Amino acid sequence: MKENQKIRLGISIGDINGIGCEVALKTFEDARMLDFCTPVLFASNKIVSQQFKDFGLDIKFNGVRDADQALEGKVNIVNVSKDVPSIQYGQATKEAGEFAITSLKAAVNALKENKIDVLVTAPINKNNIQSEDFKFPGHTDFLAQELKGESLMFMVTNELRVGLLTDHIAVKDVAKAITPKLIRNKVATMEESLKMDFGIRKPKIALLGINPHSGDNGTIGEEDDKILKPTIKELFDKGTLVYGPYSADSFFGSDNHKNFDAILAAYHDQGLIPFKTLSFGKGVNYTAGLNKVRTSPDHGTAYEIAGKGKADDSSFKEAVFTAIQVFRNRTEYQELTENPLKKQKIKRGG
């Protein structure tokens, strides 16, 4: 990215029968948003024009063949396919799922080729995206394959950050999936992200227990005593400020989460239920640990309100701001850590 160029923000359009396209367009109907970034939607002129009409939106957009042709000050559209499905609001159709994945793959390719700087993904339906060419439970697993690094599903706001040891797996498989190696990897990814992406020099991390009451000293399962506690002690002894395991049922209600920079939950609902209860509409899903920045809103396709013009764009807008801020933080961190002695010399005028 050139020094004075705005951050080029790619958007995969998600399920066109849900609210993803609506909230993305509503976000950039506010022309002030164009002062922060140059948006590039991976969709089609036909679909975007139809949504403009359906929701009475007034946006000037620019059709481009490739993301690197995007113009600042406008909403840019990259046409990703000649075969454009019809919009059927509220319906989970095969065609909408296929188009969502076509959009996602085009956006990720542009991200890998540095034609866009960051990616914000609109919601997909995890059922109608499945095919012979796409067998992933969601965005995170696909991105982990396509991009470099160790991925961590990280739900964030300004006040609360919750990551997951295990994400899209069945509850019956959670305990056997959690190993010392997994804990070490996820803690390391979270700690590095807190430093690099959020500017926290010495982060404090809390781990939630696997079992009710963290096992009650082995009365309700032995995983917390045999896996979590020894691994937490090992990491702490090596200098990582990681604490726990904490009983999940009282951790958030007692405001204990406010004593930490981030919380690592054992499984999906253990982390996301309190996060969304405390932060719904303001939360952002961030895929930490990868070599590229990707965020998304904290909601799904919301078929029940799709096409009615009722969708709130607050979370999508937060996803945009978070992607921009993380990109800036990460760029600054990399510049400062590449050659700290040289930086000090320059600052001193040597």
Side-chain angles (χ1 to χ4, degrees):
M1 189 177 69
K2 296 178 182 178
E3 187 175 347
N4 296 321
Q5 184 180 0
K6 288 188 176 71
I7 290 172
R8 192 171 285 164
L9 184 136
I11 299 170
S12 61
I13 206 63
D15 192 316
I16 60 171
N17 296 332
I19 65 169
C21 189
E22 178 186 350
V23 294
L25 294 176
K26 281 182 174 179
T27 294
F28 290 100
E29 187 179 30
D30 183 349
R32 293 173 298 180
M33 293 295 293
L34 300 176
D35 293 334
F36 299 101
C37 64
T38 300
V40 184
L41 274 70
F42 292 83
S44 85
N45 292 340
K46 181 180 177 181
I47 286 174
V48 172
S49 297
Q50 182 64 52
Q51 299 246 349
F52 283 166
K53 180 180 177 181
D54 292 344
F55 302 118
L57 301 174
D58 182 20
I59 305 175
K60 293 180 180 180
F61 71 92
N62 177 52
V64 293
R65 291 184 178 181
D66 210 327
D68 58 8
Q69 299 172 349
L71 297 179
E72 291 187 4
K74 291 189 177 182
V75 175
N76 298 271
I77 313 294
V78 175
N79 288 286
V80 298
S81 175
K82 293 180 180 178
D83 299 321
V84 180
S86 60
I87 299 174
Q88 301 177 53
Y89 293 119
Q91 302 299 312
T93 66
K94 177 183 177 182
E95 293 76 16
E98 290 173 347
F99 193 80
I101 297 310
T102 299
S103 170
L104 176 62
K105 288 182 176 180
V108 170
N109 284 337
L111 188 65
K112 290 161 69 174
E113 294 170 2
N114 296 317
K115 294 179 180 180
I116 56 176
D117 300 306
V118 299
L119 173 63
V120 178
T121 58
I124 53 177
N125 180 320
K126 290 179 174 58
N127 292 317
N128 69 1
I129 60 170
Q130 303 302 321
S131 69
E132 288 300 315
D133 296 328
F134 194 92
K135 297 181 179 180
F136 299 91
H139 286 112
T140 304
D141 302 87
F142 174 70
L143 292 166
Q145 172 187 283
E146 294 296 310
L147 304 174
K148 296 177 182 178
E150 293 280 344
S151 68
L152 170 73
M153 188 172 176
F154 208 2
M155 307 298 293
V156 301
T157 66
N158 289 333
E159 297 82 25
L160 180 62
R161 303 178 191 90
V162 179
L164 303 179
L165 272 177
T166 63
D167 40 59
H168 295 120
I169 67 172
V171 173
K172 65 181 178 63
D173 298 325
V174 167
K176 62 184 179 183
I178 296 176
T179 63
K181 180 180 178 181
L182 178 71
I183 297 167
R184 286 193 292 266
N185 288 346
K186 294 295 184 181
V187 169
T189 300
M190 176 176 276
E191 183 183 34
E192 182 68 9
S193 178
L194 290 168
K195 292 177 180 178
M196 181 170 65
D197 301 332
F198 297 95
I200 301 169
R201 294 183 62 185
K202 193 64 177 175
K204 290 177 61 179
I205 297 170
L207 258 68
L208 301 184
I210 300 171
N211 296 298
H213 309 295
S214 297
D216 256 346
N217 296 314
T219 305
I220 317 173
E222 298 180 334
E223 291 86 356
D224 294 276
D225 285 344
K226 291 187 174 181
I227 300 173
L228 283 186
K229 289 180 181 179
T231 310
I232 290 170
K233 184 179 185 305
E234 172 196 330
L235 292 169
F236 189 87
D237 289 345
K238 291 181 179 179
T240 301
L241 300 183
V242 56
Y243 304 84
Y246 293 96
S247 180
D249 64 342
S250 59
F251 185 79
F252 293 92
S254 65
D255 283 345
N256 199 11
H257 63 281
K258 294 181 180 179
N259 297 318
F260 298 92
D261 297 301
I263 299 95
L264 194 54
Y267 55 93
H268 186 278
D269 283 12
Q270 186 191 66
L272 266 65
I273 288 174
F275 179 86
K276 291 190 176 185
T277 300
L278 294 171
S279 307
F280 198 78
K282 298 179 293 181
V284 173
N285 180 2
Y286 171 49
T287 307
L290 301 179
N291 66 328
K292 299 290 185 180
V293 177
R294 173 262 174 168
T295 65
S296 72
D298 68 353
H299 57 73
T301 56
Y303 285 145
E304 65 278 6
I305 61 169
K308 299 178 181 179
K310 296 180 179 179
D312 185 347
D313 64 333
S314 299
S315 183
F316 195 93
K317 189 172 289 186
E318 288 297 326
V320 169
F321 283 132
T322 298
I324 293 169
Q325 190 59 54
V326 167
F327 182 83
R328 287 174 176 163
N329 288 347
R330 185 176 286 195
T331 301
E332 182 180 2
Y333 180 87
Q334 289 171 346
E335 289 175 352
L336 291 173
T337 55
E338 277 177 1
N339 194 335
L341 293 177
K342 182 178 179 181
K343 294 289 180 183
Q344 288 179 14
K345 188 175 181 180
I346 291 172
K347 286 180 180 180
R348 291 170 183 169

